[in-house]
Amino acid sequence: MRKGSIVALLGLAVIAGGVATAVALVPTWLPKDASREAGRIDFTFWFVIAICIGIFAVVAAVMIYAVVRFRVPDDDFEDGPPIHGHTGLEITWTAIPFVLVTAIAIVSAIVLSRNDAEAGNTLRIDVTTQQFLWTFSYPDAHDATSPVLRLPEGRSIELDMRSLDVIHAFFVPEFRTNEDIVPGLVTTVHITPDRLGTFPLICNELCGLGHSLMRSQAIVMKPAAFDAWLKQQGKSAAPAPASTTGTTSTSTSTSTSTTPSSSSAAGLSVFNANGCSSCHTLSAAGATGTVGPDLDKLVSYAQQAKQPLAAFVNKSIVDPNAYVESGYPKGVMPETFGQSLSKTQLDALVTFLVQSAQKKKG
Ligand code: CUA
């Protein structure tokens, strides 16, 4: 091989590698990471990218050189020269990828096992999903529930995730975590948040009509602020001595003891805690969802169904497919609210919906 060819090939490789490196580094492809696990995932990612850039540079250089240097004249229709194998070359291009792929496998295995390792003083949080909402419940605080995921900075977190209906997936880009949530299984994710802030929490598995609306937030708080919040939640979720009804449920919201006078506020909090706003419009709650029927129009829906308003609203929550407003798909509204809401919560929600619908009407 001539010295000039080697210099030309090297020059082309440097240019191709430089362009690929600029494409990799200049745009901000990834959101700023916010967990210890994310740092390791990013290391793996950039390790693979660096290898890819190296291979790209070599392949692009040889290809461009061959196209330019060995180009045949326009009127040349002869066969090319016969080429026989080159054992040394074949061993080289088998051995190098073998070493690279093995290196990637080792790095990935170390990162995954470290990210999944149990740490001391782990905070456990139960995650329950259903179309199309998230419920986070804290066993350390009498199973108090929250529609957003609040986490203390710097502490190891374990999420134990369940689905009540179809497959969903937990994804927080800043944590670099994605894990399916499969009915009948409990899947876990470990996170050690290391940056304060509010990050989008997304369902990352197509789960039905409201999939794109199945979003929440992960809020990383200072440990002291988190402890104060958790204590507050624990207090309001603690079982009230006498006023609770017979039904206990795993996903009750924070408002189990209510008097009739505060039922409108209680109903609003049940509405918000159960994700109703991701699918429904209701001006009293500032909700603008469009997957399901517009709850400001409940009075006329009940008239069309020829049912008394309160009974109609109650039935539509507990048994949503008994009557589906025309123009809306059947089978989209979860059928689980009859079990997941306590009687007190259901009554508060019905009262709230009836009141706001009547106000809207008059
Ligand atoms: Cu749940 Cu997509």
Side-chain angles (χ1 to χ4, degrees), residues 126-142:
D126 288 316
V127 181
T128 307
T129 52
Q130 67 193 92
Q131 290 165 322
F132 299 99
L133 61 108
W134 299 90
T135 309
F136 304 98
S137 116
Y138 295 79
D140 290 358
H142 301 288

Side-chain angles (χ1 to χ4, degrees), residues 256-332:
T256 38
S257 51
T258 47
T259 54
S261 60
S262 70
S263 68
S264 176
L268 175 61
S269 90
V270 174
F271 186 88
N272 288 329
N274 287 282
C276 308
S277 58
S278 38
C279 294
H280 293 286
T281 290
L282 180 68
S283 44
T288 55
T290 53
V291 173
D294 182 344
L295 300 183
D296 286 331
K297 297 181 183 154
L298 280 173
V299 172
S300 67
Y301 292 158
Q303 281 165 0
Q304 282 164 41
K306 299 192 177 64
Q307 288 172 34
L309 182 57
F312 173 72
V313 172
N314 193 312
K315 177 91 174 159
S316 298
I317 297 169
V318 175
D319 184 10
N321 290 312
Y323 174 87
V324 177
E325 183 56 30
S326 71
Y328 292 95
K330 240 180 143 70
V332 169

Side-chain angles (χ1 to χ4, degrees), residues 168 203 205-207 211 214:
H168 304 278
C203 175
E205 183 74 50
L206 185 59
C207 55
H211 160 69
M214 190 169 162

Side-chain angles (χ1 to χ4, degrees), residues 14 17 26 31 45 56 88 107 129 153 205 231 239 245 275 286 303 328:
V14 168
V26 174
F45 182 73
F56 172 79
V107 168
T129 52
E153 185 192 20
E205 183 74 50
K231 214 167 168 191
T245 50
Q303 281 165 0
Y328 292 95

Side-chain angles (χ1 to χ4, degrees), residues 18-32 45-46 49 53 176:
V19 171
T21 307
V23 170
L25 294 182
V26 174
T28 313
W29 295 107
L30 300 172
K32 196 163 174 259
F45 182 73
W46 289 114
I49 292 289
I53 289 175
R176 309 286 195 270

